[in-house]
Structure formats: structure tokens, C-alpha cells
């Protein structure tokens, strides 16, 4: 075991783990490739999608799905635009119409943005140190997430880069989003910001 | 007179600048546009709070939310505000789900007979299942998944999309339930005041409250926030303040200037009292008559009234000069002089009245009001002058063989003699002036922007522009109004407007738009969806097969099959306007619908046209659909009547030419009398063109004022039949008359209301030029010294 390996694997409250908050709060922009695997009760088989995600604090998010269908999502505040290239459809909607969807997206933004302070007020947050990463278990404290989500597991490298987010729902559905080629805190150029985040 | 004075008790000051817009169909449209409340500016104040520049984004929005919530709470607790909103409201989503989800199948299509059978065909259902599967991987997947068993066709998601593509796009950016500008640096509050925008006392109180409460909250938050706000109420209140200040300034400065000039010339206080008495009676009577007949007077009219003193004082000036001049040597000469004085005074008042009489036929109610005001004022001032002053002659005239009271020495005769010696030069100069002015006429530009008539305070305009840029509604300047005898008929026509605009948008030939159709199509259209769906033969079997084929578990979708049964059994009903009453969505309905003159209106907001004017073909000849751009409408109204105004001015000029010809009888004399005035009109118009100032209708009206008020100068100065008080003998009083009129109007150039400045500068400069030209023509045509003919 390396000299600086964690001495204990018992979960500890997030706010008591030295260095954790600092690692999270430093994320202002993020680029990453992802694979998302959803296990949903209304489907016979898991639904797997792949693509890229681009994030800028506090509330700009752009997700490009390349498989199984080409789709892109642009989030600006509470407004979300979806372009389904394969179906030739483009739509936008206000997340305010569904408090669950709004809460899920808001939490995604908090995770991507490393808002451990905000997450700690919404979840019971426990951290387990791994060899070169943190594993956080987040259990919702209040509705509407508490009515829908059992827990969320977040794995993050010690350098602050996100690796995996797994969400387990109360109804048994689950989704696992795995990130790779993560680049944090590299500012977007004006062209990139326009291309990714224009609602 | 007593009746007039009695009316003063109930007179009300009006500041609505639309009274200076012409009447007719277009004005009716403007009235309708005033009822459009969707953009929030006409029904209250839009408050913008800028967060400190030094604050980073996350902290800024969190801190701004706290500040805004506190301020909104302060305002909401006051009776001055009917509603105060900082965001869409916590219950909006719930209300939307409760009202729309059970009726989602009534919103399936705008063309149900064609599209509903296609949607429930094998191909249609297969595409719907593919779409559902794709949607599950999106961040909105949780919403889709939770609704999928009841809504595998994603009808409710489409309905949300309709709302987003419709009215919701007018909403500012939201973060944590709070409205912000797109860059999150400005928090926004939309308020509706309890009082109407034109209730200036209440609006003023509301604005004071906003400023006071913001100051307190800003101090609590450590300072650094910047408040700005806008709204019709602010503009109206400031316009009233401006009008009141202009009225005071114009009246006081004009009175002081006239009094000083008068005293300089006559050097007798009693003369001053005698001169101002008829003028004061005239103005008092004019205010009383308007107050009695219409209950209110516009601020611009009173501003005009303030300087009318400079024009009306001409009659006492000339008459007093005649009364104080030593009598003619013999009875014949005395009688001739008295006749000439009566004739010139009469001609002066008739030419003035004829000019204002012509303006009574203007399309602009405000101009008509000014014309009536001036006619009453001038007529009463004139009547008072000729009734009250002549009996005082024994008191005013010098004793036989004596000299008139010492007057300010003005070496007019010497100046006229100098001019006479240089007649060729003067003639050359006049020709050059005429040619230069004529050459400038082609470059004359017409004013296209009505805001030039009453530009707001620069700070207010800047705040208004900045706040509008923070609101998405600024991107939708066009208003399309669909009307009907009842709301359902108007909604059905709004459906048609929506279909047309959507087709143009899809083809790339039409602008973006926001329509009520998205949230509330007509009951007829909704029922068409339900009826078509109910008529489908056994859709459940097809749906089951499509779900299975796409990898779904059909047994999980039983709620949808049950819902189809409810439609077939007639248990699902269209959404009606009354269903929205009392919900958080009722505000949207109120903002996008109104009634006017027993008709219901539903509006659609549209962006700038791809090709200017191409939305106008949405209009229906029966008026059931009209298209407007409220801001451009005001300007188009102004320009639409410019031709009529020009025609009126031309009529006024013609009328004056006929009158002068009739009074003067001799063509040379008539021509000499008219020449300075006509040349002045040309020079002033050419000057406006040379300075690059767009010519507005008030400039045009000013030309008529120069004509009808300035022609008096020629009447007296170019008449040698009027004895010692006429011709060259009248030169000092003509000079005084020109000075009082020019200075009175010129002082209006220092007012804050653009309309008054336009008139003041034009008439002031015009009368000054006219005075100079009248003397020049005197030197050319009659010589300098008095030469009785």
C-alpha cells in the first residue's frame, strides 16, 4: 500500500473529509466523454447511450448523445432545448413543469459544478476515500428527490475530475453515467460558448 | 367671463401625448395597443436590480435572490401594488399539470382530422416509440419516464413544448424560481400597480416606495446593488412633471420678458398694466372655455398659452402707441389715422384668427385644442383692448401741443435711412436668401419618429432601453390581434393566425412569435381532437404491438389504454378560459386577452418581419385580424397626417393672401405686406433643411403661426395712411411687437418638452427673421423716413 493511501475505508460525513470540498469547488468548466446505462422497468433491456458533456458554472450544460441516436441537449437555467437530429425534431421546454426533472437537472449541475456546499444541504453526504478517488454517497433529505431517488453514488478523482455518477431510484430503476477524458477548468472560447450554450 | 373663471375650479391637466396624434382608424388601433398588457410595461413597473460587479456569479444570484425576495415582500405588503412577481410562481407547474395533463389528448394536433389517424397508424406509433426511447436517455428522462405509462406518445411533453414555444418564451431567464437577465447579472421583478398608469399621484407614490424600500434593502445587503425601473406610469408621471415645469417656465419667463421690453419702450407702469390686462383676460377666458367644454387642458396647450401673451400684447401695443401719439393736425387726418388703426388692428386679428381657424380642421385633437385656445384668447384679448383702451385716451394722450411720454430711443428712422441707401445690396441679399433657402428644400427630411414630440428624460430612456434588453418580450415588437364577438370566436381566429405564422416560420419566411394558441386553442379545435380520437377503431391492439416491437413492456402502459377509453366515452372535455380562473395561469390569459367595445381580443406577439410589412397580409378586411407595431404605429400616425397638415398650412397661407389683398386693395401694397412673411416661411423651412433637422408636423404648424402672428408687423409698418402712429411712425412699436413675440416663443426653446421646443424655436426665429425682413421691405418699397402718400 502506498504511503499516502487512506488509512480507513469507513464512510465519513463529507464536510469532515479534508481536501474534499476544495477538490469540488474548483470546477468552473468541464468537458468529458460519457457512457450512460439506464435500467428502466418499462423496458425489457438496459438502454445505453454515449456522447460528450460540456458544463459551465453555474447553470450552463450541453450534452451531445452520439448513440444510439444523435441528440443534443442545451440547458440554460430552467430552460432546456433538445435537438433530435435523427428524428429531425427540435424542441425546448421549461423544466419548471416537472419538479422531479427540475430537481434531477439541478442536482446534476451541482455535481458537475462541485457545489458540495449545496449538495450537503440537500443530501446526507458521506465520503469514502479510494486509492486515487473519492466515492460519495448522497441520500436525498427532502422532497421531491426523496420521493424518487434512493441514493446517488459519485466517484471523483483526487484532482477533481468526475468519473462516475450512479443514481438509484426508489422504484428500482437506475442509471450509471461514466465519464472519461475529463478536462476541468479550461475556459470555453467565445465560439465554443456560443456553440454549446446558446439556448 | 364669469362663467369662464368659474370653470377654473374643475380644470384638469392632461399629459397624454397621444392627443397630439391624428384621429381615425390608426388612432383606434393605438387605443387597442394600449390595452395590450402582455409585455408588462403598460400595467405596472418592471424593476431591475443589478448585482454588484465585484460579486461572482454563484454568489451574485444567491444574494440577489435574497435581496429581491425582501424587496418584493415589502412592495406586495403595500396597497399600491396589485401584484408583485419575482418568478413564475411555485404553483405554476402544479396548475399546468393539473389542468393540462388530463386534457393532453385534446391538444394532439392543430389538424386533427388529418394528423390523429396518421399518429395512430402502425408507422406513426413505431415512430412515437422510437422517440420515447430516445427521450429516456435525455436529462429530462425522469419526467418522460414517470409519465410514459399514461403518455407513451409524449403528448404532455409536446404540450410543454407548445407552452415553451408559445407564451413561455416571453418569460425572462429563471434560476431557482427567480427571474434574471440572460447574463444573470440583473434580477427582475414584474409588478402591477393598483392604480392606472395615468393616475400620476398613485404612480408617484409607488415609485417613491420602490426607491425607499430598495434603499433600505440595499443598505441591509451591504450596498452595491443598482436599482432601475420602467413602465408607462413612470413616463406619464415624468411627462406631467415636465409639462408643469414647462408651463410655469413659459408663462413666467414670457411675462417677465414682455413686461421688461414693454417698460423699456413705454417707460410707464400704467401702460404696462393697461397692456397686460386685455392679455390676461384673454388667457383666462381661453382656459375657462376649454375647461368648461372638455374638463381638461393639455400641458402643451397651457405651454402655448403661456407664450400667447407675446402675440396678444401686440394689440395693446399698437393701440396704446396710437393713443399716446399727438393728434393729427386736422380732423381729416385724425379720422384717416383712426380708420387706418382700426383697419390694421382688425386685419391683424382676422389674419391671426384665420390661421388658427384653419388649424381647427386638423386631424390632431391636440392641435385643435391649441387652435381653440388661441382663438378664444386672441379674440377676447382683442375685444378687451378695443373696448377698454380707447375711452382712456384722454388719460394717455399728451395735452394738445405737447409731446408723448418719453419712450426708449430707438434710432429706427436712421437705420431705415441707411437701409434705403443700400437698396441694391438689400435686394441682392433678399434674392440670395430666397435662392439659398429654395436650394435647401430638396434636402428636407420628414420626422418619422413620434418620440421626437415628447422625448423622455435621458436617464429614464436609458433605463427603459436597458431593462427592455433584459426581457425576451423586446424581441416581439409586432402585435397581431384576433377579435370576435366572444372569446371563443376570437380564440378560433387566433388559431388561424397561429397556423399561418407557424407555416411562415417553418418556411423561413416568417418571424418568431408567441401565441395564446399554445396554451388555449379554441374549444372547437380541442373537441375536434377528442372526436377524431374517439372515432378510431380499436387503437389498443396497435399500441400494444408497437410497444412490444420497440422493446417496451406493454403491460406497464395500461393507464394510457384506460385514458383512450375515457376519451371514447366522452369523459374528457376541452379546456375553457373559465378553467384558468383563479389559477397561476390566469395572469397569462389576462395578459393575452382583453375586451374592448363589446368585442373580445386575443393577441399574438411577433418578432420583426423577415420582409418588412409582410405580416400585414394577415389582416382581414372585416377587422377580425389586425397587425400592429405599437411603437411604429405612433410614428406612422404622425407621418400619416403630415400631408393634411401641409394642406392646412397652404390653406392658411392662401386665406391670408386673400385677406391682405382685400385689406390693402392696391397690389403693390399687398405684395409688400405679404413679401416679408412669405420669404420668412421659405427661409425658415430652408434653414430647418440646412441644419438637418427632420421636419415634424409641429414645425409645419409653426410656419402657420409665423404667418398669422407676424403679418401684423407688415400691416402697421407698411401703411403710411395710419397717420403718425402708422408707417415709419409705427416702427418702434412694430419692433417692440416683433421682439415680444419672438422672445416669448424663443424662450419656449428652453423648455424640456421637445414639442414646445420645436414650436418655440421655429416661431421665435421666424418672427425675428420676419421683423428684419419687414424693415428691409419697408426700406426697399417705402424709403426710410415717413413719407405720407
Amino acid at each position: 500500500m502506498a504511503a499516502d493511501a487512506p488509512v480507513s475505508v469507513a464512510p465519513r460525513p463529507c464536510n469532515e473529509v479534508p481536501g474534499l470540498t476544495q477538490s469540488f469547488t474548483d470546477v468552473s468548466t468541464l468537458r468529458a466523454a460519457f457512457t450512460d446505462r439506464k435500467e428502466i422497468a418499462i423496458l425489457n433491456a438496459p438502454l445505453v447511450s454515449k456522447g460528450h458533456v460540456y458544463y459551465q458554472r453555474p447553470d450552463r450544460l450541453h450534452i451531445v448523445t452520439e448513440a444510439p441516436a444523435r441528440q443534443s441537449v442545451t440547458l440554460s437555467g430552467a430552460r432546456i432545448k433538445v435537438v433530435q437530429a435523427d428524428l429531425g425534431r427540435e424542441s425546448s421546454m421549461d423544466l419548471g413543469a416537472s419538479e422531479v426533472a427540475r430537481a434531477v437537472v439541478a442536482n446534476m449541475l451541482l455535481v458537475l459544478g462541485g457545489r458540495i456546499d449545496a449538495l450537503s444541504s440537500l443530501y446526507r453526504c458521506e465520503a469514502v476515500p479510494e486509492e486515487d478517488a473519492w466515492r460519495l454517497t448522497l441520500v436525498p433529505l427532502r422532497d421531491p428527490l426523496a420521493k424518487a431517488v434512493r441514493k446517488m453514488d459519485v466517484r471523483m478523482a483526487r484532482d477533481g475530475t468526475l468519473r462516475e455518477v450512479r443514481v438509484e431510484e426508489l422504484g428500482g430503476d437506475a442509471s450509471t453515467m461514466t465519464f472519461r477524458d475529463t478536462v476541468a477548468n479550461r475556459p470555453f472560447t467565445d465560439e465554443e460558448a456560443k456553440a454549446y450554450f446558446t439556448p | 367671463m364669469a362663467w369662464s373663471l368659474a370653470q377654473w375650479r374643475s380644470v384638469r391637466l392632461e399629459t397624454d401625448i397621444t392627443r397630439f396624434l391624428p384621429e381615425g382608424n390608426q388612432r383606434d388601433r393605438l387605443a387597442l395597443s394600449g390595452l395590450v398588457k402582455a409585455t408588462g410595461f403598460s400595467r405596472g413597473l418592471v424593476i431591475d436590480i443589478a448585482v454588484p460587479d465585484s460579486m461572482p456569479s454563484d454568489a451574485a444570484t444567491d444574494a440577489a435572490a435574497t435581496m429581491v425576495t425582501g424587496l418584493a415582500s415589502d412592495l406586495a405588503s403595500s396597497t399600491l401594488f396589485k401584484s408583485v412577481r419575482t418568478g413564475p410562481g411555485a404553483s405554476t407547474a402544479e396548475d399546468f399539470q393539473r389542468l393540462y395533463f388530463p386534457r393532453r389528448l385534446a391538444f394532439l394536433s392543430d389538424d386533427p382530422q388529418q394528423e390523429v389517424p396518421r399518429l395512430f397508424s402502425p408507422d406513426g406509433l413505431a415512430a412515437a416509440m422510437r422517440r420515447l426511447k430516445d427521450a429516456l436517455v435525455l436529462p429530462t428522462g425522469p419526467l418522460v419516464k414517470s409519465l410514459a405509462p399514461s403518455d407513451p406518445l409524449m403528448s404532455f411533453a409536446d404540450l410543454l413544448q407548445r407552452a415553451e414555444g408559445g407564451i413561455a418564451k416571453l418569460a425572462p431567464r429563471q434560476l431557482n424560481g427567480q427571474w434574471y437577465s440572460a447574463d444573470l447579472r440583473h434580477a427582475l421583478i414584474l409588478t402591477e400597480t393598483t392604480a392606472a398608469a395615468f393616475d400620476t399621484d398613485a404612480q408617484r407614490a409607488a415609485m417613491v416606495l420602490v426607491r425607499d424600500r430598495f434603499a433600505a434593502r440595499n443598505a441591509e445587503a451591504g450596498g452595491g446593488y443598482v436599482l432601475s425601473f420602467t413602465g408607462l406610469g413612470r413616463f406619464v408621471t415624468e411627462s406631467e412633471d415636465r409639462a408643469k415645469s414647462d408651463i410655469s417656465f413659459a408663462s413666467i419667463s414670457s411675462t417677465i420678458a414682455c413686461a421688461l421690453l414693454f417698460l423699456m419702450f413705454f417707460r410707464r407702469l400704467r401702460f404696462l398694466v393697461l397692456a397686460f390686462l386685455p392679455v390676461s383676460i384673454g388667457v383666462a377666458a381661453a382656459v375657462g372655455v376649454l375647461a368648461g367644454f372638455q374638463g381638461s387642458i393639455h400641458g402643451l396647450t397651457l405651454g402655448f398659452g403661456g407664450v400667447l401673451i407675446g402675440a396678444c400684447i401686440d394689440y395693446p401695443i399698437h393701440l396704446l402707441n396710437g393713443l399716446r401719439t399727438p393728434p393729427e393736425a386736422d380732423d381729416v387726418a385724425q379720422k384717416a389715422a383712426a380708420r387706418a388703426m382700426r383697419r390694421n388692428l382688425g386685419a391683424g386679428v382676422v389674419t391671426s384668427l384665420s390661421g388658427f381657424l384653419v388649424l381647427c380642421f386638423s386631424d390632431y385633437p391636440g392641435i385643435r385644442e391649441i387652435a381653440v385656445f388661441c382663438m378664444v384668447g386672441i379674440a377676447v384679448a382683442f375685444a378687451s383692448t378695443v373696448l377698454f383702451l380707447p375711452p382712456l385716451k384722454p388719460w394717455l394722450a399728451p395735452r394738445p401741443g405737447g409731446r408723448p411720454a418719453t419712450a426708449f430711443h430707438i434710432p429706427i428712422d436712421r437705420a431705415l435711412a441707411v437701409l434705403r441707401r443700400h437698396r441694391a445690396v438689400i435686394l441682392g441679399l433678399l434674392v440670395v436668401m430666397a435662392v439659398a433657402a429654395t436650394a435647401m428644400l430638396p434636402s428636407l427630411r420628414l420626422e418619422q419618429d413620434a418620440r421626437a414630440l415628447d422625448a423622455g428624460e435621458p436617464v429614464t430612456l436609458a433605463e427603459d432601453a436597458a431593462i427592455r434588453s433584459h426581457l425576451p418580450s423586446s424581441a416581439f415588437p409586432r402585435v397581431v390581434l384576433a377579435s370576435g364577438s366572444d372569446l371563443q370566436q376570437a380564440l378560433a381566429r387566433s388559431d388561424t393566425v397561429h397556423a399561418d405564422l407557424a407555416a411562415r416560420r417553418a418556411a423561413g419566411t416568417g418571424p418568431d412569435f408567441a401565441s395564446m394558441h399554445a396554451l388555449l386553442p379554441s374549444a372547437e379545435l380541442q373537441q375536434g381532437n377528442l372526436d377524431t380520437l374517439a372515432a378510431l377503431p380499436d387503437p389498443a391492439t396497435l399500441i400494444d404491438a408497437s410497444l412490444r416491437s420497440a422493446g417496451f413492456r406493454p403491460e406497464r402502459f395500461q393507464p394510457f389504454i384506460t385514458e383512450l377509453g375515457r376519451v371514447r366515452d366522452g369523459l374528457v372535455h376541452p379546456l375553457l378560459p373559465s378553467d384558468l380562473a383563479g389559477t397561476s395561469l390566469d395572469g397569462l390569459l389576462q395578459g393575452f386577452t382583453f375586451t374592448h367595445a363589446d368585442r373580445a381580443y386575443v393577441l399574438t406577439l411577433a418578432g420583426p418581419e423577415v420582409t418588412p410589412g409582410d405580416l400585414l397580409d394577415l389582416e382581414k378586411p372585416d377587422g377580425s385580424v389586425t397587425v400592429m407595431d405599437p411603437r411604429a404605429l405612433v410614428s406612422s400616425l404622425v407621418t400619416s397626417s403630415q400631408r393634411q397638415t401641409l394642406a392646412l398650412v397652404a390653406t392658411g397661407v392662401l386665406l391670408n393672401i386673400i385677406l391682405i389683398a382685400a385689406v390693402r386693395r392696391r397690389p403693390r401694397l399687398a405684395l409688400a405686406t405679404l413679401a416679408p412673411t412669405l420669404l420668412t416661411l421659405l427661409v425658415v423651412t430652408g434653414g430647418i433643411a440646412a441644419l438637418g433637422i427632420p421636419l415634424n408636423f409641429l414645425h409645419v404648424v409653426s410656419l402657420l403661426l409665423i404667418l398669422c402672428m407676424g403679418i401684423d408687423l407688415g400691416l402697421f409698418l407698411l401703411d403710411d395712411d395710419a397717420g403718425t402712429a402708422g408707417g415709419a411712425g409705427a416702427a418702434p412699436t412694430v419692433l417692440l411687437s416683433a421682439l415680444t413675440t419672438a422672445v416669448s416663443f424663443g424662450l419656449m426653446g428652453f423648455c424640456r418638452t421637445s414639442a414646445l421646443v420645436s414650436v418655440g424655436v421655429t416661431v421665435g426665429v421666424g418672427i425675428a427673421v420676419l421683423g428684419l425682413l419687414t424693415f428691409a421691405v419697408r426700406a426697399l418699397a417705402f424709403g426710410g423716413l415717413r413719407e405720407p402718400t
Side-chain angles (χ1 to χ4, degrees):
Chain A
M1 184 178 287
D4 60 348
V7 293
S8 169
V9 292
R12 294 167 63 190
C14 294
N15 55 7
E16 293 177 9
V17 179
L20 178 66
T21 304
Q22 184 59 37
S23 298
F24 263 88
T25 52
D26 279 348
V27 180
S28 61
T29 69
L30 188 90
R31 299 167 167 82
F34 73 86
T35 302
D36 186 23
R37 177 188 164 91
K38 292 188 189 300
E39 298 145 47
I40 306 175
I42 58 172
L43 281 165
N44 289 317
L47 190 58
V48 179
S49 59
K50 292 182 178 180
H52 286 82
V53 61
Y54 305 88
Y55 165 77
Q56 180 169 293
R57 280 178 87 162
D59 65 346
R60 302 292 204 199
L61 180 65
H62 183 64
I63 299 173
V64 181
T65 306
E66 285 125 19
R70 289 181 302 139
Q71 301 187 95
S72 72
V73 173
T74 305
L75 181 76
S76 170
R79 202 162 283 175
I80 193 163
K81 184 174 91 173
V82 178
V83 177
Q84 296 170 290
D86 291 340
L87 296 176
R89 292 178 72 107
E90 182 176 321
S91 59
S92 54
M93 62 175 280
D94 190 335
L95 284 173
S98 164
E99 61 176 8
V100 174
R102 189 174 60 219
V104 166
V105 171
N107 283 282
M108 186 184 284
L109 293 173
L110 293 177
V111 170
L112 292 170
R115 291 291 302 273
I116 193 75
D117 54 335
L119 286 169
S120 297
S121 68
L122 298 170
Y123 296 85
R124 193 180 74 235
C125 178
E126 291 180 336
V128 176
E130 295 179 343
E131 188 175 353
D132 60 348
W134 297 106
R135 181 163 59 80
L136 274 58
T137 300
L138 300 158
V139 178
L141 291 173
R142 60 179 78 111
D143 292 341
L145 274 183
K147 274 198 264 185
V149 175
R150 193 166 70 83
K151 68 169 183 170
M152 198 159 59
D153 284 325
V154 179
R155 290 185 66 238
M156 192 187 73
R158 301 256 170 158
D159 63 0
T161 55
L162 204 57
R163 288 190 174 169
E164 185 180 280
V165 178
R166 178 175 170 78
V167 180
E168 292 180 14
E169 298 179 26
L170 285 176
D173 291 352
S175 74
T176 306
M177 204 167 188
T178 309
F179 298 91
R180 61 183 190 284
D181 304 333
T182 307
V183 178
N185 295 334
R186 192 174 82 201
F188 292 104
T189 64
D190 289 345
E191 292 76 22
E192 287 175 325
K194 190 177 174 189
Y196 298 152
F197 304 125
T198 302
Chain B
M1 203 51 221
W3 176 82
S4 292
L5 291 174
Q7 307 309 315
W8 277 60
R9 287 175 305 172
S10 57
V11 68
R12 182 171 55 82
L13 182 67
E14 195 181 345
T15 56
D16 181 7
I17 196 64
T18 60
R19 278 191 61 77
F20 283 82
L21 298 173
E23 287 175 325
N25 182 39
Q26 293 281 85
R27 190 181 161 86
D28 294 341
R29 286 178 174 220
L30 190 68
L32 288 178
S33 82
L35 297 169
V36 171
K37 296 188 285 184
T39 51
F41 288 91
S42 61
R43 58 174 170 173
L45 297 173
V46 180
I47 301 170
D48 178 312
I49 294 170
V51 297
D53 290 339
S54 56
M55 209 177 265
S57 294
D58 290 348
T61 49
D62 291 348
T66 306
M67 140 77 90
V68 163
T69 305
L71 178 60
S73 161
D74 293 347
L75 300 182
S77 63
S78 155
T79 54
L80 292 168
F81 289 92
K82 195 170 164 186
S83 76
V84 179
R85 296 188 301 145
T86 59
S91 60
T92 303
E94 286 170 25
D95 287 342
F96 190 86
Q97 175 111 7
R98 181 174 54 78
L99 289 165
Y100 285 85
F101 192 76
R103 298 177 173 92
R104 62 195 179 282
L105 295 175
F107 290 78
L108 276 178
S109 168
D110 289 342
D111 184 11
Q113 281 75 23
Q114 297 292 322
E115 291 184 351
V116 170
R118 199 181 302 149
L119 178 60
F120 281 82
S121 70
D123 287 346
L125 287 170
M129 297 311 146
R130 275 201 304 280
R131 181 183 167 215
L132 176 61
K133 216 167 171 178
D134 287 347
L136 288 170
V137 307
L138 298 172
T140 48
L143 170 64
V144 175
K145 190 179 65 176
S146 65
L147 299 178
S150 305
D151 190 24
L153 305 182
M154 297 177 65
S155 314
F156 189 64
D158 287 341
L159 202 41
L160 289 172
Q161 163 63 23
R162 276 174 70 122
E164 180 66 23
I167 293 170
K169 70 175 72 162
L170 297 175
R173 181 176 176 181
Q174 293 172 41
L175 184 67
N176 301 324
Q178 164 69 46
W179 283 321
Y180 292 93
S181 60
D183 63 0
L184 295 178
R185 303 301 299 180
H186 299 257
L188 300 164
I189 306 175
L190 304 186
T191 72
E192 186 172 358
T193 49
T194 309
F198 288 91
D199 183 346
T200 49
D201 288 341
Q203 292 294 332
R204 209 170 272 119
M207 288 187 281
V208 167
L209 182 68
V210 169
R211 289 195 176 103
D212 288 351
R213 293 316 307 153
F214 169 78
R217 291 286 177 181
N218 190 23
E220 274 176 24
Y225 292 91
V226 179
L227 169 74
S228 52
F229 58 85
T230 188
L232 185 57
R234 180 173 181 178
F235 280 93
V236 170
T237 305
E238 290 183 354
S239 183
E240 183 182 276
D241 291 344
R242 212 163 37 243
K244 283 181 175 169
S245 139
D246 282 347
I247 292 162
S248 304
F249 172 77
S251 310
I252 293 170
S253 63
S254 168
T255 305
I256 291 173
C258 286
L260 288 176
L261 286 168
F262 195 90
L263 281 174
M264 264 174 64
F265 179 78
F266 282 106
R267 296 191 173 183
R268 290 287 182 280
L269 202 57
R270 64 182 181 197
F271 279 41
L272 179 70
V273 175
L274 290 175
F276 270 72
L277 195 62
V279 176
S280 305
I281 293 171
V283 172
V287 172
V289 166
L290 280 183
F293 282 106
Q294 60 184 38
S296 66
I297 296 184
H298 199 282
L300 292 182
T301 308
L302 275 184
F304 242 88
V307 298
L308 191 64
I309 206 163
C312 290
I313 204 170
D314 290 2
Y315 311 123
I317 284 175
H318 293 304
L319 192 54
L320 279 172
N321 191 43
L323 295 175
R324 65 183 277 283
T325 306
E328 301 294 328
D330 55 70
D331 279 354
V332 177
Q334 277 188 30
K335 283 180 183 169
R339 256 201 320 274
M341 176 61 77
R342 279 199 300 274
R343 185 181 64 234
N344 288 337
L345 280 175
V349 78
V350 168
T351 51
S352 296
L353 290 178
S354 68
F356 287 112
L357 181 67
V358 164
L359 291 181
C360 285
F361 296 94
S362 170
D363 280 348
Y364 300 83
I367 294 293
R368 292 202 301 268
E369 182 181 301
I370 287 176
V372 170
F373 184 95
C374 290
M375 285 177 70
V376 174
I378 288 171
V380 173
F382 174 79
S384 305
T385 302
V386 297
L387 281 176
F388 300 139
L389 294 191
L392 300 174
K393 182 173 172 115
W395 186 46
L396 300 171
R399 291 187 190 121
R403 299 171 61 187
T406 314
F408 184 70
H409 177 67
I410 306 169
I412 301 264
D413 277 3
R414 207 179 304 157
L416 285 171
V418 171
L419 291 175
R420 184 174 170 76
R421 282 199 297 275
H422 298 89
R423 287 166 80 166
V425 176
I426 293 166
L427 187 62
L429 282 174
L430 293 181
V431 171
V432 169
M433 278 175 80
V435 171
T438 308
M440 293 310 302
L441 291 183
S443 61
L444 198 63
R445 288 186 295 121
L446 292 182
E447 179 61 77
Q448 302 292 330
D449 190 349
R451 284 169 292 180
L453 298 180
D454 188 20
E457 302 296 324
V459 173
T460 307
L461 290 173
E463 282 188 20
D464 181 67
I467 295 171
R468 282 178 188 274
S469 73
H470 297 152
L471 292 169
S473 57
S474 61
F476 299 91
R478 281 280 194 186
V479 175
V480 184
L481 288 174
S483 66
S485 55
D486 58 36
L487 190 51
Q488 280 303 332
Q489 190 181 45
L491 285 169
R493 286 173 176 156
S494 175
D495 291 344
T496 309
V497 168
H498 176 274
D500 197 327
L501 286 172
R504 290 167 190 238
R505 178 96 174 123
T509 58
D512 194 7
F513 63 98
S515 168
M516 190 66 203
H517 168 86
L519 280 184
L520 193 61
S522 64
E524 183 187 357
L525 179 58
Q526 295 180 59
Q527 192 61 52
N529 275 285
L530 297 171
D531 292 345
T532 311
L533 198 54
L536 293 175
D538 190 23
T541 307
L542 271 178
I543 290 166
D544 187 280
S546 301
L547 286 167
R548 202 175 298 280
S549 169
F552 289 100
R553 293 173 173 160
E555 66 276 14
R556 298 264 178 176
F557 293 84
Q558 188 53 43
F560 181 59
I561 305 302
T562 304
E563 187 64 15
L564 288 176
R566 281 172 45 80
V567 171
R568 202 167 39 249
D569 295 341
L571 298 175
V572 178
H573 303 290
L575 183 74
L576 300 175
S578 55
D579 294 321
L580 301 180
T583 74
S584 56
L585 299 170
D586 193 34
L588 282 173
L589 179 69
Q590 299 307 322
F592 274 75
T593 60
F594 60 89
T595 55
H596 176 67
D598 292 332
R599 284 187 75 76
Y601 289 82
V602 177
L603 70 99
T604 300
L605 299 182
E609 292 138 317
V610 175
T611 308
D614 67 359
L615 286 185
L616 292 175
D617 57 15
L618 286 171
E619 293 197 318
K620 302 289 180 208
D622 61 358
S624 60
V625 178
T626 51
V627 181
M628 300 185 298
D629 178 348
R631 287 190 153 201
L633 180 60
V634 175
S635 296
S636 74
L637 274 167
V638 171
T639 52
S640 69
S641 279
Q642 276 174 338
R643 183 170 293 180
Q644 191 245 13
T645 307
L646 281 169
L648 286 180
V649 170
T651 308
V653 171
L654 193 64
L655 202 56
N656 272 276
I657 290 173
I658 295 168
L659 283 170
I660 295 300
V663 171
R664 289 305 205 199
R665 293 183 188 163
R666 281 172 290 171
R668 177 173 170 270
L669 198 54
L671 184 64
T673 307
L674 285 167
T677 307
L678 298 178
L679 185 54
T680 299
L681 299 186
L682 184 62
V683 168
V684 170
T685 311
I688 290 171
L691 293 172
I693 301 168
L695 185 81
N696 64 42
F697 79 99
L698 288 174
H699 289 130
V700 180
V701 170
S702 301
L703 296 177
L704 188 57
L705 297 183
I706 293 170
L707 174 80
C708 63
M709 292 190 298
I711 211 155
D712 303 9
L713 308 180
L715 282 170
F716 282 93
L717 189 64
L718 306 176
D719 182 2
D720 283 338
D721 291 340
T724 49
T733 47
V734 166
L735 182 64
L736 178 62
S737 173
L739 281 174
T740 53
T741 309
V743 169
S744 297
F745 276 89
L747 284 169
M748 270 169 64
F750 295 97
C751 286
R752 293 156 66 201
T753 305
S754 307
L756 290 178
V757 173
S758 285
V759 175
V761 172
T762 311
V763 177
V765 171
I767 293 289
V769 171
L770 177 54
L772 287 173
L773 292 179
T774 306
F775 279 98
V777 169
R778 165 81 208 179
L780 281 176
F782 296 85
L785 299 170
R786 185 173 174 234
E787 296 167 355
T789 56

